Amino acid sequence: KAPSPYTGDYEWPSNLYTEMSDMARLSFLVYDFAYVVDACRDAKKDGKEFVGLDVDFEANKSVTKAGVADAALSRSFTPGEIKKLIEDNISILQKYDSTFKGKSLDGIYKSLDEMQGRADASGIDRSLVLEEFDDFYQTRECVYGVTRDSSNKRITIVFRGTENKLAFGSNWRSNA
């Protein structure tokens, strides 16, 4: 029998539900960040300043580390930093996307707070971050985010399908 590559102090989740719910939270983190980026572009198009994030307003531009010249964007985002982006721009976000209102906003904040709390409790600096995000050609191709969870020793890649009417059916079938 070959030795396990998973030796050391890693503690496996006690059940599949825990494992899957952790990754689902990370998926929502990427989706929420995508909504923030979209609202930032819309605001910039309308001549409004979005605090803490500056992206090209064209939907075919990327917000990846490699694709952004602005040093402020050439970094990763913790759940707490994403929450701060939302808080600092809540009036703009609510204008452009209903996701950032009422119970939906409460759920976003609760999820971000839980993720940041667990990351802080790990004792590892910036243990949970959105490392990469790409929405290049988002009207024709998928959007993806890559998260790093150092305390759980996990890299998660999250895909969102394209947002166009032609791909709606195929996205739905592949996500089902």
Side-chain angles (χ1 to χ4, degrees), residues 1 7 12 25 76 92 102 146 156 163:
K1 185 174 178 180
T7 57
W12 288 93
R25 282 189 185 99
S76 56
I92 293 172
V146 179
T156 303
E163 283 195 345

Side-chain angles (χ1 to χ4, degrees), residues 10-158:
Y10 180 73
E11 188 174 316
W12 288 93
S14 60
N15 58 53
L16 184 59
Y17 174 79
T18 302
E19 184 84 4
M20 295 304 295
S21 64
D22 285 349
M23 290 195 294
R25 282 189 185 99
L26 294 173
S27 295
F28 288 119
L29 174 99
V30 172
Y31 272 65
D32 293 338
F33 189 75
Y35 292 136
V36 169
V37 170
D38 285 344
C40 180
R41 282 197 181 100
D42 290 342
K44 188 170 184 178
K45 233 187 281 190
D46 292 342
K48 295 185 174 119
E49 185 170 338
F50 201 90
V51 178
L53 188 66
D54 184 28
V55 297
D56 191 309
F57 66 84
E58 295 177 35
N60 66 344
K61 299 293 182 181
S62 177
V63 184
T64 62
K65 290 180 182 180
V68 179
D70 183 347
L73 288 176
S74 300
R75 63 181 184 86
S76 56
F77 292 87
T78 66
E81 291 166 346
I82 293 172
K83 182 179 179 185
K84 181 154 177 41
L85 280 175
I86 294 169
E87 290 171 335
D88 290 347
N89 299 286
I90 194 65
S91 61
I92 293 172
L93 288 166
Q94 289 176 338
K95 178 182 176 195
Y96 292 103
D97 198 315
S98 62
T99 302
F100 297 98
K101 294 180 181 174
K103 289 183 180 180
S104 180
L105 179 62
D106 293 342
I108 290 170
Y109 282 162
K110 180 180 178 190
S111 179
L112 291 171
D113 287 342
E114 286 175 2
M115 284 188 280
Q116 189 62 54
R118 287 188 15 201
D120 292 344
S122 75
I124 301 169
D125 186 41
R126 298 181 65 78
S127 68
L128 179 60
V129 293
L130 174 61
E131 286 285 356
E132 291 287 340
F133 176 82
D134 192 350
D135 60 351
F136 200 70
Y137 300 117
Q138 67 175 301
T139 57
R140 298 190 311 263
E141 298 176 356
C142 71
V143 171
Y144 72 89
V146 179
T147 64
R148 175 183 46 84
D149 181 348
S150 297
S151 62
N152 287 315
K153 299 180 181 180
R154 179 185 301 137
I155 302 290
T156 303
I157 302 171
V158 177

